[in-house]
C-alpha cells in the first residue's frame, strides 16, 4: 500500500522499541484493508517522554501505543484518562482528539478478555474462582478484566504479596492476595488459572507449578507468548484442561487502538497469527 500525503499516521513509543511487534501487527491490518496510513516505531527515551507526548497533536499524529517503560509515566500527561486505565494505573494507547486533546486508554484488559473468549468460547468467568499468578503491570489488567467480567473471586498469587495487596486496594472488588508459597492451596475449586508472571518466558526462570489440585475443566491461560506453547500450557493440555496461549491477548489488545487511529475494528485471524509468528 502506498502512503499518500493524506495518510493517517500512528506509532508505538517505548525504549528500546526494536522488539515491539506492534508495527508488524498494525502494518498487516493497514495492508489487509487497503488503508492510507502508516504505523511506525518511535524510540522515546524516558527523559524525552513528556516532550514527545506533547508533540503528538502538533505533528498531526492520530495517536500512539505506549509500551515499556512508559505505560505508567504517560498517565499524568493525558488531558483525559478513561476510568479503566486510571484503575489499572497505566495507559497503553494515547488517542489524539479532534480538539488536539490527549485521551489515555488501556486496552490490555479488553485484549485479555477477548482472547480468553476466543480461545475458550464456552467459558464464563462468572462461574467460579479465578487464580492469577503475578502482580505486575500485566496482572493489573488481567485482574481488572476478570472483576469486570463478574469473577466471584480473584485469588491473586504473588512472590511479593504486598504488590498483590496494592492491586486489591487499587481495583476494589473480590480480590484475595495470596502468598507465593501457598499457591498450590489456591487451585481447589478454580475455574480459571492465568499465568501473568514473567516465569516461563524465553530467557526467564521456569514456572514451577503443580497442577494436581486444579479441576480438569478449569481453563488455563498463559499470557506469556514466547514460547507460544509454555511448559504450563503443555502440562495443562496433557492432563486435559482447556488451554489458551498468550498471543491472542497481544493481537486483541491492538484492535481498539487500530480502530481509534484508522477507523476500523480489525479482525484477528489465523492468517494474522501466522504472520506475527513468522516475524519471530
Ligand atoms: P512485570 O511487571 O515485570 O511483573 C512480573 C511478575 O512476575 C511479577 O508479579 C513478579 O513477581 C513475577 N516474577 C518474576 N520473577 C519471579 C520469580 N522468580 N518467582 C516468582 N515470581 C516472579 O511484568 P509484566 O509487564 O506484568 O509482564 C508479565 C508477563 O506477561 C511477561 O512475560 C510479558 O511478556 C507478558 N505479557 C503478555 C502480554 C500479552 O499481550 N500476551 C501483555 C503484557 C505482558 P514480584 O512482584 O514478586 O517481582
Amino acid at each position: 500500500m502506498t502512503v499518500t500525503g493524506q495518510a493517517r499516521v500512528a506509532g508505538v513509543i517505548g525504549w528500546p522499541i526494536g522488539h515491539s511487534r506492534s508495527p508488524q501487527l498494525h502494518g498487516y491490518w493497514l495492508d489487509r484493508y487497503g488503508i492510507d496510513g502508516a504505523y511506525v516505531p518511535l524510540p522515546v527515551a524516558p527523559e524525552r517522554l513528556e516532550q514527545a507526548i506533547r508533540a503528538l497533536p502538533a505533528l498531526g499524529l492520530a495517536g500512539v501505543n505506549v509500551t515499556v517503560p512508559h505505560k505508567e509515566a504517560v498517565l499524568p500527561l493525558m488531558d483525559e484518562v478513561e476510568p479503566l486505565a486510571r484503575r489499572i494505573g497505566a495507559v497503553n494507547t494515547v488517542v489524539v482528539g479532534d480538539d488536539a486533546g490527549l485521551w489515555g486508554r488501556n486496552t490490555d484488559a479488553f485484549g485479555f478478555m477477548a482472547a480468553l473468549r476466543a480461545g475458550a468460547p464456552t467459558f464464563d468467568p462468572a462461574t467460579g474462582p479465578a487464580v492469577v499468578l503475578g502482580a505486575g503491570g500485566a496482572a493489573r489488567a488481567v485482574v481488572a478484566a476478570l472483576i469486570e467480567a463478574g469473577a466471584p473471586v480473584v485469588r491473586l498469587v504473588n512472590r511479593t504479596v504486598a504488590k498483590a495487596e496494592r492491586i486489591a486496594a487499587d481495583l476494589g472488588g473480590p480480590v484475595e492476595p495470596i502468598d507465593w508459597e501457598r499457591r498450590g492451596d489456591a487451585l481447589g475449586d478454580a475455574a480459571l488459572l492465568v499465568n501473568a508472571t514473567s516465569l516461563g518466558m524465553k530467557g526467564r526462570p521456569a514456572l514451577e507449578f503443580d497442577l494436581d489440585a486444579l479441576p480438569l475443566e478449569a481453563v488455563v491461560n498463559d499470557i506469556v507468548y514466547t514460547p507460544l506453547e509454555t511448559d504450563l500450557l503443555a502440562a495443562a493440555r496433557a492432563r486435559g484442561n482447556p488451554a489458551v496461549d498468550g498471543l491472542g491477548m497481544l493481537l486483541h489488545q491492538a484492535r481498539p487502538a487500530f480502530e481509534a487511529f484508522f477507523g476500523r475494528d480489525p479482525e484477528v485471524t489465523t492468517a494474522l497469527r501466522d504472520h506475527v509468528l513468522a516475524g519471530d
Side-chain angles (χ1 to χ4, degrees):
M1 170 86 205
T2 307
V3 175
T4 75
Q6 275 89 51
R8 288 182 70 76
V9 180
V12 53
I13 61 169
W15 186 259
I17 197 62
H19 66 282
S20 173
R21 294 179 199 224
S22 294
Q24 188 190 3
L25 184 50
H26 286 263
Y28 175 91
W29 282 326
L30 288 170
D31 272 356
R32 165 98 175 70
Y33 299 119
I35 292 173
D36 184 13
Y39 184 100
V40 292
L42 299 165
V44 174
E47 62 275 17
R48 291 279 178 84
L49 180 66
E50 180 165 358
Q51 212 180 345
I53 290 289
R54 301 250 180 257
L56 297 177
L59 288 168
L61 267 69
V64 286
N65 286 116
V66 183
T67 187
V68 180
H70 299 319
K71 286 188 185 187
E72 288 85 19
V74 294
L75 198 146
L77 304 175
M78 299 295 103
D79 295 306
E80 203 183 322
V81 177
E82 69 169 4
L84 179 66
R86 198 170 284 291
R87 282 204 302 282
I88 294 171
V91 161
N92 76 342
T93 304
V94 177
V95 181
V96 180
D98 294 336
D99 59 353
L102 298 173
W103 180 36
R105 302 178 62 184
N106 189 306
T107 66
D108 283 336
F110 169 86
F112 165 75
M113 196 47 71
L116 187 58
R117 291 195 197 287
T122 58
F123 172 68
D124 176 0
T127 53
V131 177
V132 176
L133 309 178
R140 281 186 163 262
V142 168
V143 174
L146 288 169
I147 293 171
E148 204 157 85
V153 60
V154 180
R155 298 178 185 144
L156 186 54
V157 183
N158 199 43
R159 176 179 62 177
T160 312
V161 79
K163 277 168 70 179
E165 286 165 356
R166 205 167 315 134
I167 293 181
D170 288 351
L171 293 181
V175 180
E176 189 188 324
I178 295 181
D179 200 273
W180 188 249
E181 306 312 323
R182 290 187 40 234
R183 59 194 184 277
D185 305 345
L187 294 181
D189 54 350
L192 174 71
L193 169 65
V194 182
N195 176 37
T197 70
S198 48
L199 296 175
M201 193 178 164
K202 203 157 77 183
R204 299 289 170 91
L207 170 60
E208 280 161 21
F209 199 75
D210 187 348
L211 293 178
D212 282 355
L214 186 70
L216 284 179
E217 58 281 3
V219 174
V220 177
N221 180 191
D222 200 334
I223 72 160
V224 168
Y225 55 86
T226 45
L228 190 59
E229 183 74 354
T230 60
D231 290 349
L232 176 70
L233 292 182
R237 284 189 225 277
R239 66 196 294 277
N241 290 90
V244 179
D245 69 49
L247 185 59
M249 177 174 170
L250 179 80
L251 304 181
H252 283 280
Q253 61 78 30
R255 281 174 45 207
F258 188 88
E259 185 170 17
F261 301 154
F262 302 112
R264 173 170 189 155
D265 181 10
E267 259 186 301
V268 170
T269 59
T270 310
L272 173 64
R273 278 178 66 94
D274 292 346
H275 174 78
V276 172
L277 288 172
D280 277 348

